[in-house]
Amino acid sequence: MTGTNSSHKHRLLVLHDYGMGGSWWWVHARSAREVLETFAWVEVVTNPEVVARFEDDELEEVDIDTPLMPPGLASLRAERDAQRGHEGFGAFAGRNIVYLRRPWDDEDDEPVVYLMEIGPDGRRIRQVELAENGTALRSGPDDWPFNPPIVDLFDPALAGQEISQREFEDQWARARPVGPDM
């Protein structure tokens, strides 16, 4: 490990989960919060079984104060640096549950709006898909083949997407479950 001022730092297992895989590092930092404030789209893994599994792996180790980061981590730092100072930066960080309304307008699909219940790690807990034709489908983790973080709770762009728990619950109650044919 190279770096400066390593006093009071802890060795933290950091994951950038991109859905079908992930990148892992050991980051020496003063706290998990410091890691999340420094790098976009990462999580600090605290599950003791997972941490133990990586203890003997030769993951790259970096000090959070080192100016040059390894590939992957460098771009996640640059993304976070670009967000810092914008209104709404970190507004949802540290919250247990966040409710969001996010449009999805993929040119190959019909436009839909997703209402999402998001946990503190940026992963979906539940979701309602609202189609333009009024159809509403609800789904949860058992309906998804994998569930990577879908939002970065420090991202200032999320501030304009928050909805109330009541709005989410009302839509959840009226939506029909996603079926095996969906």
Side-chain angles (χ1 to χ4, degrees):
M1 175 188 81
T2 60
T4 59
N5 188 15
S6 62
S7 63
H8 300 61
K9 291 184 182 170
H10 309 278
R11 183 178 185 234
L12 302 169
L13 183 60
V14 175
L15 166 63
H16 169 59
D17 182 342
Y18 46 84
M20 298 298 283
S23 299
W24 299 81
W25 302 271
W26 289 109
V27 176
H28 294 258
R30 287 167 275 285
S31 67
R33 171 93 183 195
E34 181 182 35
V35 171
L36 300 175
E37 288 177 354
T38 303
F39 304 104
W41 292 102
V42 300
E43 61 187 288
V44 176
V45 178
T46 57
N47 179 313
E49 292 174 12
V50 176
V51 171
R53 215 170 40 224
F54 283 92
E55 281 293 336
D56 295 329
D57 282 9
E58 295 196 22
L59 298 178
E60 189 146 14
E61 294 206 27
V62 297
D63 186 289
I64 199 160
D65 294 323
T66 302
L68 296 175
M69 289 288 145
L73 208 49
S75 62
L76 299 172
R77 177 186 260 176
E79 183 174 346
R80 182 63 85 226
D81 288 345
Q83 295 170 340
R84 200 177 322 285
H86 289 264
E87 186 176 336
F89 175 74
F92 299 121
R95 289 185 34 192
N96 286 330
I97 302 287
V98 175
Y99 296 93
L100 300 175
R101 170 186 294 273
R102 300 193 74 192
W104 179 263
D105 191 9
D106 188 339
E107 57 190 54
D108 295 334
D109 298 323
E110 292 184 34
V112 297
V113 172
Y114 289 97
L115 305 183
M116 298 180 291
E117 180 180 49
I118 304 291
D121 59 359
R123 286 180 170 81
R124 295 172 295 177
I125 298 169
R126 297 183 294 162
Q127 173 177 282
V128 177
E129 180 180 329
L130 302 172
E132 276 190 332
N133 67 6
T135 303
L137 301 173
R138 66 177 185 230
S139 60
D142 292 340
D143 302 308
W144 309 317
F146 55 93
N147 190 18
I150 194 129
V151 298
D152 177 344
L153 295 174
F154 279 86
D155 186 346
L158 296 178
Q161 299 175 4
E162 186 173 25
I163 60 172
S164 69
Q165 179 181 4
R166 179 170 195 82
E167 180 179 350
F168 179 87
E169 295 296 349
D170 288 348
Q171 292 293 338
W172 179 264
R174 84 169 190 84
R176 73 176 198 264
V178 169
D181 300 323
M182 298 284 151

